[in-house]
Amino acid sequence: MIRNPVLPGFNPDPSICRVGDDYYIATSTFEWFPGVQIHHSRDLVHWHLLTHALHETRLLDMCAVPNSGGIWAPCLSHNDDLFYLCYTIVHELNSATKDCRNYLVTAPSIEGPWSDPVFLNASGFDPSLFHDDDGRKYMLNMVWDHRPEHSPFYGIALQELDAVTMALLDSPEIIFKGSPLGLTEGPHLYKRNGFYYLLTAEGGTEYEHAATLARSMAIRGPYEIHPENPILTSSKKPYLILQKSGHASLVDTPNGETYMAHLCGRPLPGTKRCNLGRETALQKVEWRDDGWLTLAAGGNDPQETVPAPHLPPYPWPAEPSRLPFDSPRYATLRTPSECVIRQPDLLRLMGAESLESRFGQALLGRRLISQKATVTTRITFEPVSFQHMAGLAAYYNTYLFHYLYLSYDESLGRCLQIHICDDGKSHFPLGPNPVPVPDGPIFLRMVFDDCLLQFAWSADGELFDEIGPELDASMLSDDYGTHWGFTGTFIALACQDLTGTQQPAEFNFLEIL
Ligand code: 6LW
């Protein structure tokens, strides 16, 4: 069986692609660097993180992009021995207008080398590529309409692309205005038995999210909507484990089974907050005799367990609880920071800007993938100023985090403090009474227990003392606060030197149990 979500933790907007016996899923990474996660599987059951496509500043520079800007909704495809990846870099998302720059890169292998990005257009987000069977190529994207009294989701545009130069050959034509669900985005085009099938995301990426299918005999439409649309949704079904289901893409196995990868979210118990972010699940789907696609299970509810395809099992080695710091599971914020120096079992962070900075942070994070987790690290840090800070954070973005850090106080010496950023407002729950700690390396811990988060520390790694109150782990979610959020909770090691002298901190491991 396939157990959903197949990519737990922040892995939204999946674009699935098969090449021979290999299956790849590309997901959005927003302000986290490197850009575009690519997971790999041979059996659709077992997945591992293989690589990131946009792993150098030649390919991606996101310095100062807003929270949840950066890389949106990649589309990965393969044609004539070449991988094609298109994606949006969002420069502004909080205003009525949006700045969305769409690019395309190609590579002979999934591990690169990726070409220099080719700029496509900027009229909206969610670009996608379709390779027709006559050799022609087309780009699709949603067009954003900022005008008052208009739906901002103007429609899905199609433009032909020169197969050699990648230049756009014509002006955009709106081929689909969407179903009555509206908010039409995330287009992917497929061809089967003479029909063009346009799969889109609708209803918005939250609890009303859905996958809509439409088809036409002509690529430019008119598109007829599936008689039982939407083909997937969790909307108004609060009893389902997989909520927010939508934004889907399709893949066929060599023996003709079809699967649909889609976005989903798992709210914390008793809440409508998903602190693991938007995740990726897979559904088995079937083509009916009338040429329409439906879930193999019937209806349109996302299933938690799904029959696996008839492929030989291909498991990957289990991940250690202490992942080496050079693992691709770790990410930095916006740029591959020079202040983050990674060796397999030593992380050195040169103190940089604050956790609220969109410029140079010294922070290395990995996704929280389970609502219950015990996270421990060992830190060596000799602060000599209250502006020197280093420690362990549960980090959503510059507006939302919980941070346990070592710092310095003139009367207490080296001490531990807690900084909470709640929708951009700072609180220090220990107030003027940070906790003094002895010299030498110490251990920092945080325990996620559904909605609760508790920090602790230890001098010897054996006996841990809780520090500070129980904190709210649920606020580290897309669903909280006054700003758009599309990412998920990261477990982060970080170091700030607000004096500007780069006081360093070292970490020996980051363990997640
Ligand atoms: C994604 C788009 C969306 O590009 O959210 O709400 C964006 N809609 O489809 C980020 O995941």
Side-chain angles (χ1 to χ4, degrees):
M1 297 299 269
I2 295 173
R3 293 193 192 285
N4 282 319
V6 288
L7 310 183
F10 159 50
N11 279 295
D13 310 323
S15 167
I16 190 165
C17 168
R18 176 175 71 84
V19 182
D21 294 330
D22 296 296
Y23 297 81
Y24 304 104
I25 295 180
T27 48
S28 305
T29 41
F30 298 85
E31 69 265 41
W32 291 93
F33 192 96
V36 185
Q37 297 229 99
I38 298 179
H39 283 81
H40 174 214
S41 174
R42 284 266 171 97
D43 57 9
L44 296 183
V45 175
H46 305 93
W47 290 86
H48 75 126
L49 177 62
L50 177 67
T51 187
H52 295 81
L54 310 176
H55 53 78
E56 338 165 23
T57 37
R58 171 181 69 88
L59 295 162
L60 180 63
D61 184 355
M62 296 188 291
C63 184
V65 298
N67 293 318
S68 287
I71 299 290
W72 283 23
C75 170
L76 179 68
S77 58
H78 187 264
N79 188 250
D80 288 342
D81 297 326
L82 211 54
F83 285 93
Y84 293 79
L85 180 74
C86 51
Y87 51 90
T88 312
I89 303 182
V90 176
H91 286 172
E92 177 51 52
L93 70 151
N94 290 304
S95 57
T97 49
K98 295 215 185 317
D99 295 298
C100 319
R101 300 185 62 80
N102 294 316
Y103 292 92
L104 171 65
V105 289
T106 58
S109 148
I110 193 72
E111 300 194 68
W114 292 95
S115 68
D116 287 341
V118 176
F119 173 71
L120 298 171
N121 71 20
S123 55
F125 46 87
D126 298 353
S128 141
L129 220 60
F130 172 65
H131 311 272
D132 208 342
D133 47 19
D134 60 2
R136 297 167 79 176
K137 296 193 191 305
Y138 299 86
M139 176 207 180
L140 300 107
N141 65 284
M142 73 75 70
V143 173
W144 184 259
D145 186 349
H146 64 270
R147 293 172 296 179
E149 312 296 319
H150 285 242
S151 163
F153 294 75
Y154 186 69
I156 302 301
L158 181 89
Q159 277 175 282
E160 190 171 353
L161 201 73
D162 185 293
V164 177
T165 64
M166 312 292 167
L168 291 167
L169 294 176
D170 51 11
S171 37
E173 180 178 340
I174 298 296
I175 59 162
F176 189 55
K177 290 293 278 182
S179 84
L181 290 173
L183 314 184
T184 311
E185 55 188 355
H188 292 292
L189 198 57
Y190 303 94
K191 196 172 188 182
R192 186 177 180 272
N193 294 344
F195 274 109
Y196 292 91
Y197 288 88
L198 179 61
L199 184 57
T200 56
E202 292 202 292
T205 190
E206 299 175 13
Y207 288 87
E208 312 293 298
H209 208 194
T212 284
L213 191 65
R215 73 178 181 192
S216 173
M217 295 295 282
I219 193 166
R220 293 176 190 275
Y223 280 84
E224 160 201 11
I225 295 167
H226 192 298
E228 289 112 59
N229 206 58
I231 60 169
L232 178 79
T233 189
S234 321
S235 176
K236 302 188 177 60
K237 302 167 191 165
Y239 46 87
L240 292 178
I241 300 286
L242 303 180
Q243 290 291 314
K244 302 185 174 180
S245 297
H247 201 123
S249 58
L250 299 174
V251 73
D252 289 331
T253 67
N255 54 21
E257 295 174 279
T258 306
Y259 284 81
M260 180 163 72
H262 67 92
L263 181 158
C264 65
R266 290 176 295 164
L268 285 158
T271 76
K272 287 191 86 179
R273 294 181 189 168
C274 306
N275 68 343
L276 304 182
R278 300 172 304 155
E279 310 178 280
T280 285
L282 280 175
Q283 303 296 328
K284 186 169 169 54
V285 287
E286 286 172 356
W287 291 101
R288 300 192 310 217
D289 291 344
D290 63 1
W292 284 113
L293 190 77
T294 47
L295 292 186
N300 62 10
D301 294 1
Q303 307 291 309
E304 269 180 278
T305 52
V306 170
H310 294 94
L311 294 171
Y314 204 94
W316 306 101
E319 271 190 353
S321 56
R322 295 182 183 191
L323 266 188
F325 287 120
D326 56 356
S327 158
R329 287 244 181 247
Y330 289 100
T332 56
L333 276 170
R334 295 178 175 83
T335 59
S337 172
E338 286 165 7
C339 301
V340 177
I341 302 155
R342 296 155 67 170
Q343 291 167 20
D345 49 14
L346 184 72
L347 173 69
R348 190 172 167 85
L349 298 179
M350 310 300 293
E353 293 192 349
S354 72
L355 282 183
E356 287 102 323
S357 172
R358 289 183 286 111
F359 292 80
Q361 286 207 38
L363 177 148
L364 189 71
R366 52 175 294 199
R367 288 157 175 72
L368 179 69
I369 60 167
S370 164
Q371 292 168 348
K372 294 185 196 294
T374 299
V375 180
T376 311
T377 188
R378 180 177 185 266
I379 179 174
T380 305
F381 184 51
E382 299 304 330
V384 292
S385 157
F386 62 90
Q387 291 178 311
H388 293 161
M389 297 170 265
L392 178 64
Y395 188 86
Y396 180 86
N397 65 19
T398 66
Y399 297 128
L400 290 169
F401 56 81
H402 298 302
Y403 186 30
L404 171 64
Y405 62 90
L406 258 179
S407 188
Y408 175 83
D409 179 273
E410 299 85 322
S411 51
L412 297 171
R414 213 168 68 129
C415 55
L416 282 168
Q417 178 60 287
I418 294 175
H419 181 181
I420 298 172
C421 193
D422 180 344
D423 202 19
K425 293 192 186 63
S426 284
H427 306 285
F428 297 85
L430 303 183
N433 303 309
V435 175
V437 292
D439 288 345
I442 63 165
F443 297 79
L444 305 179
R445 174 169 281 180
M446 58 186 171
V447 179
F448 291 87
D449 186 6
D450 294 332
C451 293
L452 299 178
L453 177 69
Q454 177 69 58
F455 283 122
W457 76 280
S458 167
D460 59 8
E462 302 281 329
L463 285 173
F464 279 82
D465 284 337
E466 289 186 352
I467 178 168
E470 280 182 339
L471 303 173
D472 179 5
S474 78
M475 75 180 208
L476 307 170
S477 66
D478 302 352
D479 319 287
Y480 181 82
T482 50
H483 302 88
W484 288 114
F486 294 128
T487 57
T489 303
F490 275 70
I491 291 157
L493 302 173
C495 182
Q496 298 79 38
D497 183 347
L498 305 184
T499 72
T501 57
Q502 298 201 316
Q503 186 77 356
E506 288 185 351
F507 299 85
N508 301 94
F509 63 85
L510 178 64
E511 179 187 84
I512 305 181
L513 289 173

